[in-house]
Amino acid sequence: EAGVLSVDGDSTPVASSSTSEKTTVVIEPSLAQQPKDEANIILIRDMPESAQEEDIRKLLDFEKCPPIKSVHLDVGNHWFVAFDSTSRNDMLDIILKLKQQTFQGESIKARLKTSATISPPTSPPPNYKGSRNG
């Protein structure tokens, strides 16, 4: 049967079509293929224009906060803070602590930065069997 086949560790069809004679293989990247350092950046959004790097660092000055690697101001008064930790629990703890704080009377909006760029695998997954029609 022709269709689209997902190859992300199993051979579960994602969708199928009987109008085509060829199979298209879609290789979906797994979490293991994502760069490990992508899970250590927190985005603090919509801060007042008056906020300075020192203010951001003070918000993060609490017990058990991992060391800060860098603080970067970006467009729209969004601050990117990289930490010397890739522990998801550490990142979630930081986000929860930030959301309990205010800056100049405003609630802090923070989230874990998600990776927008994932490198494609250099070789097919181990259980890849190739084209069904080849």
Side-chain angles (χ1 to χ4, degrees):
E1 172 183 298
V4 176
L5 180 67
S6 170
V7 184
D8 64 352
D10 64 18
S11 297
T12 307
V14 176
S16 66
S17 168
S18 59
T19 60
S20 172
E21 293 183 13
K22 294 186 178 184
T23 298
T24 302
V25 176
V26 179
I27 298 175
E28 298 172 352
S30 69
L31 290 176
Q33 294 167 333
Q34 290 185 6
K36 290 183 180 182
D37 63 345
E38 291 297 327
N40 70 340
I41 299 173
I42 290 180
L43 170 60
I44 303 174
R45 301 175 310 146
D46 304 322
M47 289 295 286
E49 286 186 28
S50 62
Q52 300 294 313
E53 181 176 337
E54 181 181 326
D55 298 319
I56 302 303
R57 288 181 180 274
K58 282 181 184 176
L59 290 171
L60 296 162
D61 185 20
F62 53 84
E63 189 177 338
K64 297 185 181 180
C65 183
I68 297 171
K69 286 172 56 175
S70 67
V71 178
H72 170 74
L73 174 62
D74 208 343
V75 177
N77 297 316
H78 292 18
W79 290 85
F80 290 88
V81 184
F83 294 89
D84 191 17
S85 172
T86 56
S87 163
R88 191 154 182 92
N89 286 338
D90 284 350
M91 298 300 104
L92 294 176
D93 286 344
I94 294 167
I95 291 169
L96 289 174
K97 289 207 189 279
L98 284 170
K99 289 186 173 193
Q100 293 171 355
Q101 299 182 56
T102 61
F103 182 77
Q104 296 180 356
E106 298 292 323
S107 297
I108 305 287
K109 299 177 195 102
R111 68 172 176 82
L112 188 61
K113 180 186 175 292
T114 55
S115 175
T117 58
I118 300 173
S119 302
T122 55
S123 61
N127 63 346
Y128 175 69
K129 298 188 179 32
S131 174
R132 290 184 180 177
N133 298 326

